[in-house]
Amino acid sequence: QVQLVESGGGSVQAGGTTILSCAVSRATKSQSCLGWFRQIPGKEREGVATIGIRHPSTYYTYSDSVKGRFTASRDHAENTVYLTMRGLTPEDTGIYYCAIEFTGPSTSGCPLSSTSYNSWGQGTQVSVSS
């Protein structure tokens, strides 16, 4: 069973930058989808970014709410994925999760729907103050 552990986040000033990490216990080199999601109080869990791996290609997708501000990346040697979050606003406050599934991406990338993912990390809080 694959395990994911998020780290990073914390309290950030509006306009600032923070980087989340997600360590994956299983290699993700051949085909998989790694997703970053957030849970804002009172709202449904929202997919914000995905990394789709279908060797040798990598696909990235972003939600409209974070496109141009957030960047997903990975260090495949370390089985770690990252979410660099720039231009943060108080509306970005929430619990951020990483998740994985091993079907892999289509040519249009990985889904942003949380129902597509099998394994989840415990989440890490990001709080943005104005």
Side-chain angles (χ1 to χ4, degrees), residues 4 19 30 41 43 53 56 64 80 85-87 100-101 103 105 128:
L4 302 96
I19 301 174
S30 57
K43 295 187 178 182
I53 303 163
D64 289 342
T80 302
M85 306 161 64
R86 300 180 178 87
I100 194 168
E101 66 87 44
T103 301
V128 184

Side-chain angles (χ1 to χ4, degrees), residues 10 18 22 29 32 40 47 54 57 64 67 69 80 84 94 101 105 111-112 123 125:
T18 194
C22 174
K29 295 180 181 179
S32 59
I40 296 173
R54 190 176 294 281
S57 301
D64 289 342
K67 196 172 294 182
R69 300 189 298 125
T80 302
T84 302
E101 66 87 44
L112 286 167
Q125 176 73 43

Side-chain angles (χ1 to χ4, degrees), residues 5-11 18-22 36-39 83 85 92-98 121-127:
V5 179
E6 301 98 338
S7 59
S11 297
T18 194
I19 301 174
L20 306 182
S21 302
C22 174
W36 283 101
F37 298 80
R38 65 185 180 189
Q39 185 81 57
L83 185 67
M85 306 161 64
D92 294 314
T93 295
I95 301 173
Y96 284 73
Y97 301 87
C98 62
Q122 82 287 354
T124 187
Q125 176 73 43
V126 174
S127 299

Side-chain angles (χ1 to χ4, degrees), residues 8-86:
S11 297
V12 188
Q13 291 284 331
T17 297
T18 194
I19 301 174
L20 306 182
S21 302
C22 174
V24 185
S25 64
R26 175 177 162 181
T28 59
K29 295 180 181 179
S30 57
Q31 62 184 50
S32 59
C33 283
L34 297 119
W36 283 101
F37 298 80
R38 65 185 180 189
Q39 185 81 57
I40 296 173
K43 295 187 178 182
E44 292 186 359
R45 189 168 295 188
E46 174 193 14
V48 296
T50 71
I51 301 175
I53 303 163
R54 190 176 294 281
H55 186 74
S57 301
T58 305
Y59 304 84
Y60 299 89
T61 58
Y62 298 93
S63 68
D64 289 342
S65 60
V66 307
K67 196 172 294 182
R69 300 189 298 125
F70 291 11
T71 303
S73 59
R74 74 179 185 119
D75 181 340
H76 65 83
E78 298 292 331
N79 292 335
T80 302
V81 294
Y82 303 94
L83 185 67
T84 302
M85 306 161 64
R86 300 180 178 87

Side-chain angles (χ1 to χ4, degrees), residues 107-123:
T107 53
S108 58
C110 293
L112 286 167
S113 170
S114 62
T115 58
S116 300
Y117 293 79
N118 314 115
S119 299
W120 292 80
Q122 82 287 354

